[in-house]
Amino acid sequence: MIDLDFFSSPIGLGHVTRDIAIANNFENISTKFITGSNAAKILKNLDFKVEDVYIPPSFIIENGKLKNSTRWLWNYYQYYKRCKKISEEIIQKDKPKFIVSDEDFASLTIAQNKKIPTVLITDIVQTNFVNGITSFIEKMMNKSMQKIMKNCDTVIIPENGVDEGNIKRVGPIVRQTRFSRDELRKKFSFDKKTIVISVGGTDAGLYLIEKTIESISKIKKDIDVIVVSGPSLSKEFEETVRNFGFVDNLHEIIFAADVIVSLAGKSTIDESKVYGTPGIFIPIKGHFEQEDNAKEEGFVFEDIYKIDELIIEKLEQKRNPVHSNGAINAYNIIKKLM
């Protein structure tokens, strides 16, 4: 019998990286992750028990812009229905005492029907991908999501703020490292001012990589350029660019870097802020969540055309790490409920 089934959305890598930060605190709690794609790969690399069973829908991105959002939403709805069947089989087999979900609403639906205690980890309370006549589908999904959230024992939001009802705001949830920044710079051979370009687990950020490398070529400084392209990009870059490909320790690379250029995923932003590395966060245009995240940090999609200016500005910026106990706070909530 499993104490805890941890269902982690495989849409991007930010969900599983913050879930790892929480699970690293678990003691004497038998845990299994259920996810898919590259999220499962990271967990396997770190020796977590995991079932690789989810196949998430891909965003359609052209020149950094989200296309056919209505089609994606329909594909997501079909994906949700498949996940309900998968999660029901797993929950029936594992008979867990507890369910934790990071934005996997399918497993929460099944668990709540079976009266199993549930915790949701999320940084969104509703989606806003489409407008017009087809938005009724999204409105129905949002209504369902609100009902699921209301029925959770606790909803953990990884931001600072006031608790409301079953919603607990714990602060940014970030993985910890036992190495100093100097040790990491030596480990990664970061000998000069180092710009890291990170685009997560999909090919959605290829346009950002290309525009950033193009912009850096205008900078008259002796700097190193590191690309963390993830597992989905096989593109060759010019010789002056080092491609780390797929990594399971992006937080350490961010800590060692002088500037991080990234898509505007919340987990990468949080890791940048906690480790004090100046960041430039360019959203996928039309992706409401990334656009909101970027706006909060002072960026918009159009900043992609002046990355060279932003990098020069950020290289002069002092490091200002922000302390956060988000991971341990989330763990303590889960432990208390169990």
Side-chain angles (χ1 to χ4, degrees):
M1 184 174 179
I2 298 289
D3 289 332
L4 188 154
D5 273 343
F6 207 135
F7 290 83
S8 185
S9 171
I11 301 175
L13 296 177
H15 302 286
V16 75
T17 55
R18 69 186 177 198
D19 298 340
I20 289 168
I22 297 169
N24 281 337
N25 294 288
F26 287 177
E27 293 181 3
N28 303 317
I29 300 175
S30 174
T31 304
K32 182 175 75 177
F33 278 92
I34 299 91
T35 185
S37 190
N38 301 309
K41 186 175 179 180
I42 284 183
L43 288 162
K44 289 175 183 177
N45 286 350
L46 298 174
D47 295 324
F48 283 97
K49 188 174 183 181
V50 57
E51 285 203 40
D52 182 359
V53 289
Y54 283 174
I55 304 174
S58 297
F59 288 109
I60 303 167
I61 309 294
E62 294 179 11
N63 296 328
K65 301 174 184 178
L66 179 63
K67 300 292 184 180
N68 298 313
S69 55
T70 301
R71 186 198 305 175
W72 184 86
L73 194 68
W74 176 251
N75 289 341
Y76 178 85
Y77 178 64
Q78 300 302 316
Y79 162 76
Y80 168 79
K81 292 197 294 184
R82 292 193 299 270
C83 289
K84 280 184 69 175
K85 292 180 180 179
I86 293 168
S87 59
E88 183 168 24
E89 291 173 1
I90 290 172
I91 291 171
Q92 186 67 35
K93 176 184 65 176
D94 290 352
K95 296 180 171 55
K97 299 175 185 175
F98 206 79
I99 296 291
V100 177
S101 162
D102 192 325
E103 293 189 19
D104 177 60
F105 291 92
S107 58
L108 292 174
T109 301
I110 300 300
Q112 289 171 0
N113 287 340
K114 293 180 178 293
K115 309 301 182 184
I116 300 172
T118 53
V119 167
L120 168 65
I121 302 165
T122 184
D123 47 78
I124 59 170
V125 294
Q126 70 174 26
T127 65
N128 187 27
F129 279 110
V130 296
N131 296 304
I133 192 168
T134 57
S135 64
F136 78 93
I137 300 173
E138 188 170 32
K139 289 177 181 176
M140 290 173 59
M141 291 172 65
N142 278 325
K143 188 175 180 180
S144 176
M145 183 168 70
Q146 294 291 330
K147 181 179 178 182
I148 293 168
M149 291 176 66
K150 185 177 180 180
N151 289 334
C152 285
D153 291 78
T154 297
V155 177
I156 294 173
I157 297 183
E159 62 185 29
N160 296 310
V162 179
D163 296 342
E164 306 169 69
N166 68 336
I167 294 176
K168 307 295 182 184
R169 290 180 169 84
V170 300
I173 299 174
V174 170
R175 294 171 289 174
Q176 299 298 310
T177 179
R178 52 192 176 86
F179 300 105
S180 70
R181 184 165 181 264
D182 287 341
E183 288 171 331
L184 290 171
R185 285 184 66 83
K186 185 176 180 180
K187 174 183 176 181
F188 301 131
S189 299
F190 289 179
D191 301 320
K192 307 173 185 176
K193 290 291 186 180
T194 305
I195 314 300
V196 170
I197 312 167
S198 171
V199 295
T202 71
D203 61 359
L206 177 58
Y207 186 69
L208 176 59
I209 294 176
E210 292 174 338
K211 296 299 286 185
T212 302
I213 292 174
E214 179 185 321
S215 289
I216 288 174
S217 68
K218 304 174 188 176
I219 300 174
K220 306 303 181 184
K221 288 181 179 286
D222 189 16
I223 56 179
D224 280 338
V225 181
I226 308 297
V227 170
V228 182
S229 59
S232 301
L233 287 178
S234 56
K235 181 180 173 63
E236 294 290 328
F237 300 103
E238 54 193 75
E239 290 182 5
T240 55
V241 175
R242 293 163 59 195
N243 185 3
F244 280 19
F246 178 74
V247 301
D248 54 32
N249 62 337
L250 178 60
H251 61 303
E252 293 184 329
I253 295 171
I254 289 172
F255 187 21
D258 292 289
V259 175
I260 173 76
V261 181
S262 173
L263 294 174
K266 179 167 176 56
S267 291
T268 303
I269 292 173
D270 283 348
E271 288 179 340
S272 167
K273 292 169 77 171
V274 167
Y275 283 111
T277 301
I280 299 165
F281 304 106
I282 306 297
I284 296 171
K285 192 171 182 64
H287 190 301
F288 81 95
E289 185 181 1
Q290 289 209 2
E291 288 184 327
D292 287 349
N293 291 341
K295 183 179 180 181
E296 192 169 324
E297 301 305 316
F299 299 100
V300 294
F301 173 76
E302 286 69 25
D303 288 328
I304 200 168
Y305 304 115
K306 59 173 185 178
I307 287 181
D308 52 328
E309 299 173 26
L310 292 170
I311 287 175
I312 292 171
E313 176 186 317
K314 293 295 180 179
L315 283 171
E316 299 300 320
Q317 184 176 313
K318 290 184 178 180
R319 301 182 69 87
N320 185 28
V322 177
H323 181 71
S324 176
N325 288 321
I328 192 70
N329 290 341
Y331 160 68
N332 285 332
I333 289 170
I334 294 167
K335 181 181 178 182
K336 185 176 180 180
L337 287 170
M338 290 187 69

